Amino acid sequence: MRSRCTSLCTIAASLFTTAGIAVAENEPADAAPALGGPAVVARDDANPTLVMQAYDGSIEPLDLPVEVAAIDLLRRSVGLDDRTESEIERILAERAAEVDRHFLANLEDIVKLQSAVGSGDRATITRIGMPIMQSYRDLESEDNGGPFRDRLAAALPQADREQFLAMITEYEQALEAEARTEAEAAGKRFGVIQYRIQRALSRAQADAQAAYERTLLQGAAQLDEVFEQANLSTEGEAAARKVLQDFSLERLRQGKVEPDAQPTRAEIIRVFLQLSQVLSAEDAESLRKAFRESVGQAEPSDDN
């Protein structure tokens, strides 16, 4: 399943890049760097930093979005009071839900881009990708609460807020300085605008992968276990996967995320009626038994 995630993220990356190029074309060529400064700012033990060097001397990449990494480091280094911790958790959950909804709402168009990306059809990528990129940017519009970083900062006490923002600024400064140094060492001109596009692209890729793992990847892994137990015919498994994946995607788009929103009795009846129409009687019964075992004979809710 990891390969599927990589494929989806690659497609998303191509459309975000295309959208970024369109923006860059409208910016002045001599735009000043958004961030500047030394690669690594000296810190003492009282001032945590996200800038860590790998064995080769390069900056160690973060496994999390820079905002989340800064919050996690702040938690470990100075700690947060219960009220602040609760508000931070709310904002993190809110952001994850926003990104997940955006990913799912645009999933079909992202998948449609695969052939266009493979053939280098920039016109199609731009036509489909530009609206997706704009809606991604809108996640951080003022109407939607503003930038993710600012939402987190606003929840912190003043001293912690300053340290949080300083860690992010330091990390971004270090990355830009490193990229500039590498370009100059290679005898190349450092493109500030292209650098900004790549940084935005990296964030979009990380968000797309995280959304995939929170939604489709988890459900796909559960389906694999069920189908292994059911041992359906090749044709039956393909047909059943299509029905169940469509059902899962429909529920996710409606904001019905398990385990908080278990399928209702009516939903289960509907999906099994659909399965009975595409499966042989033997395959349908095998799949029904496998599902019962996978949920430990749990009864569906009585809601309609």
Side-chain angles (χ1 to χ4, degrees), residues 176-250:
E176 182 170 334
E178 181 178 68
R180 183 184 294 275
T181 299
E182 290 175 353
E184 292 174 350
K188 298 178 181 179
R189 178 178 178 275
F190 178 67
V192 175
I193 295 174
Q194 186 60 34
Y195 174 80
R196 294 179 189 175
I197 292 171
Q198 290 301 321
R199 283 296 295 148
L201 170 60
S202 296
R203 181 177 182 181
Q205 286 178 295
D207 275 345
Q209 181 164 334
Y212 178 84
E213 292 175 353
R214 283 191 298 262
T215 56
L216 303 184
L217 186 61
Q218 181 178 2
Q222 293 169 344
L223 276 182
D224 286 343
E225 294 177 3
V226 169
F227 282 120
E228 183 177 355
Q229 179 68 26
N231 193 28
L232 305 182
S233 64
T234 301
E235 298 80 5
E237 179 171 335
R241 279 185 180 277
K242 179 66 167 61
V243 170
L244 292 170
Q245 287 171 354
D246 287 349
F247 172 67
S248 177
L249 185 56
E250 176 188 346

Side-chain angles (χ1 to χ4, degrees), residues 102-120:
H102 180 268
F103 175 76
L104 293 168
N106 292 284
L107 181 59
E108 290 180 9
D109 279 344
I110 290 175
V111 173
K112 288 178 183 178
L113 289 174
Q114 187 165 15
S115 60
V117 171
S119 63

Side-chain angles (χ1 to χ4, degrees), residues 61-299:
L62 298 174
D63 295 328
L64 298 169
V66 63
E67 301 93 341
V68 179
I71 282 291
D72 282 356
L73 184 53
L74 195 64
R75 284 165 160 167
R76 296 195 304 270
S77 60
V78 303
L80 300 174
D81 60 72
D82 291 344
R83 182 175 179 179
T84 301
E85 184 68 41
S86 178
E87 180 63 7
I88 289 296
E89 282 298 319
R90 184 193 67 78
I91 295 169
L92 292 174
E94 181 180 73
R95 171 68 178 182
E98 290 169 355
V99 172
D100 290 354
R101 284 194 297 268
H102 180 268
F103 175 76
L104 293 168
N106 292 284
L107 181 59
E108 290 180 9
D109 279 344
I110 290 175
V111 173
K112 288 178 183 178
L113 289 174
Q114 187 165 15
S115 60
V117 171
S119 63
D121 184 354
R122 180 166 175 172
T124 299
I125 295 172
T126 300
R127 176 176 56 81
I128 299 176
M130 287 293 286
I132 297 177
M133 185 58 183
Q134 184 57 56
S135 61
Y136 177 79
R137 289 173 178 161
D138 288 345
L139 296 180
E140 297 200 342
S141 68
E142 292 302 321
D143 290 342
N144 203 39
F148 181 37
R149 180 189 66 178
D150 293 350
R151 291 186 232 174
L152 289 169
L156 296 169
Q158 182 63 34
D160 293 339
R161 181 184 309 142
E162 292 175 357
Q163 194 166 55
F164 167 73
L165 294 173
M167 283 191 286
I168 293 175
T169 300
E170 177 197 21
Y171 184 75
E172 295 295 345
Q173 287 177 341
L175 283 184
E176 182 170 334
E178 181 178 68
R180 183 184 294 275
T181 299
E182 290 175 353
E184 292 174 350
K188 298 178 181 179
R189 178 178 178 275
F190 178 67
V192 175
I193 295 174
Q194 186 60 34
Y195 174 80
R196 294 179 189 175
I197 292 171
Q198 290 301 321
R199 283 296 295 148
L201 170 60
S202 296
R203 181 177 182 181
Q205 286 178 295
D207 275 345
Q209 181 164 334
Y212 178 84
E213 292 175 353
R214 283 191 298 262
T215 56
L216 303 184
L217 186 61
Q218 181 178 2
Q222 293 169 344
L223 276 182
D224 286 343
E225 294 177 3
V226 169
F227 282 120
E228 183 177 355
Q229 179 68 26
N231 193 28
L232 305 182
S233 64
T234 301
E235 298 80 5
E237 179 171 335
R241 279 185 180 277
K242 179 66 167 61
V243 170
L244 292 170
Q245 287 171 354
D246 287 349
F247 172 67
S248 177
L249 185 56
E250 176 188 346
R251 297 188 79 250
L252 287 167
R253 284 174 172 162
Q254 295 171 354
K256 298 177 179 178
V257 181
E258 298 181 31
D260 298 326
Q262 293 289 336
T264 65
R265 186 180 299 277
E267 287 177 321
I268 291 175
I269 291 173
R270 175 167 62 86
V271 77
F272 271 105
L273 284 174
Q274 291 175 329
L275 287 169
S276 68
Q277 293 172 357
V278 300
L279 295 177
S280 67
E282 181 180 357
D283 276 350
E285 182 58 25
S286 295
L287 187 58
R288 189 175 294 110
K289 288 180 178 178
F291 267 112
R292 286 179 185 146
E293 292 181 11
S294 73
V295 298
Q297 299 290 337
E299 290 292 327

Side-chain angles (χ1 to χ4, degrees), residues 50-55 57-63 171 175 178:
L50 296 173
V51 180
M52 305 297 290
Q53 288 190 329
Y55 288 114
S58 64
I59 297 173
E60 193 76 47
L62 298 174
D63 295 328
Y171 184 75
L175 283 184
E178 181 178 68

